[in-house]
Amino acid sequence: MADANDKLKAFIRAEAIRLGFSDARFAAADAPERLATDLAGFVGAGYHGSMDWMVETAERRADPKVLWPEAKSIIVLAMNYGPDGDPLATTCMPDRGNISVYARNRDYHDIIKGKLKELAGKIASRSGADVKVFVDTAPVMEKPLAMQAGLGWQGKHTNLVSRELGSWFFLGSIFTTAEIVPDEPERDHCGSCCACLDACPTGAFPAPGRIDARRCISYLTIEHKGMIDAEFRAAMGNRIYGCDDCLAACPWNKFARSANEMKLQARADLEAPKLDFLLTLDDAAFRSLFTGSPIKRIGRNRFIRNCLIAAGNSGAARLAALCRNLLTDADPVVRATALWAISRLEGGEAARDALPKDETDLIVLGELESLGQ
């Protein structure tokens, strides 16, 4: 039996590597220790912000058996997306937009899910067991499961860290009814290092291993709808989709290799896009530019809101005219954020004078009132 199990694990690992995954490890389909308690504490503190789906799916997230009672084993897979160069280089280019490394290519859900399905099919054929595949759109707590499987450990920034891949990798999982001997869990190798915590521009970590999404730039630019609190706007700099600062600070990245080996290199037009161009996007142009990209999921209005904050932080006076054009946008959040950006580039009086006199939306008028403070 042990020999058959070892052969199945070796087969799965070999097929995973052939498909482009960087690693594959195994865990029992049991709830990781303290997962339910930690999740309840996170939600109870309100750290999830407006992500109500975390509350609605808490029971399934806390225990894989609730998600699929028949599951016996979980195969957790990693796919490297390490950047070629400095992932934060574009944060020093204020008139360009900085996009998180993972979103500079096509949507990773599409990349991984197809490969997971292919691997799962081979596992089912080989073992006769049932299988189900999950990427992070499903209520699976992949990071604690990956730590339980020995793939890595959750760093102080709450993301998974690997001694071979650093902080730059996607996760996917395959649940199966096959009983596979689990791998040994990975232990924490962070030691006294706090580089990731110190790197956060908005102080989103109330404690090591705890994140307050409401202060996280990734959450603010992707998940958060409506106006972004003035407290965070300057700290966002030119980050228009996601934030890599805590990931990039991890010393274990020195062992990571370029994702070019996996053919996941960035689209050239998304490495440092000009704000001059992005601020002109209407809905059709936005959809065309970001076809196949995870950025498309947040919609044009939220994206333009982010670009306007970047424009306001840029110090590039030429962008004020583009911001003025957006004072008549159909979306009130866009109009209000354009007002703020103009005030940053040209001053509060210029922003007040630029706003159309027939503006009646309370969001915009609230922003107008704040300019006098």
Side-chain angles (χ1 to χ4, degrees), residues 94-95 237 275 308-320 341 344-346:
D95 64 344
L275 292 174
L308 282 165
I309 291 176
N313 291 328
S314 71
R318 71 177 189 278
L319 296 177
R344 294 270 292 182
L345 296 171
E346 297 185 320

Side-chain angles (χ1 to χ4, degrees), residues 21-97:
F21 290 103
S22 309
D23 202 355
R25 301 294 179 93
F26 304 85
D30 299 321
E33 188 178 357
R34 288 190 51 81
L35 178 55
T37 302
D38 289 347
L39 181 57
F42 175 80
V43 171
Y47 290 161
H48 63 298
S50 62
M51 296 183 288
D52 293 336
W53 43 267
M54 295 198 74
V55 180
E56 295 162 1
T57 62
E59 185 181 4
R60 283 176 287 164
R61 287 181 180 277
D63 187 351
K65 289 284 192 181
V66 176
L67 188 62
W68 189 23
E70 291 76 23
K72 297 290 192 300
S73 306
I74 300 174
I75 304 149
V76 189
L77 299 112
M79 181 175 285
N80 169 42
Y81 71 93
D84 283 332
D86 179 4
L88 302 182
T90 51
T91 60
C92 300
M93 304 176 188
D95 64 344
R96 305 290 184 109

Side-chain angles (χ1 to χ4, degrees), residues 212-256:
D212 184 346
R214 298 168 298 183
R215 303 186 65 87
C216 173
I217 293 175
S218 284
Y219 166 81
L220 291 170
T221 56
I222 298 171
E223 299 286 350
H224 179 70
K225 300 175 183 178
M227 294 295 292
I228 290 176
D229 286 350
E231 173 188 0
F232 305 120
R233 296 175 197 170
M236 287 170 61
N238 67 340
R239 298 166 184 83
I240 58 175
Y241 188 91
C243 180
D244 289 327
D245 292 51
C246 63
L247 298 178
C250 181
W252 285 97
N253 289 335
K254 63 186 176 183
F255 298 112

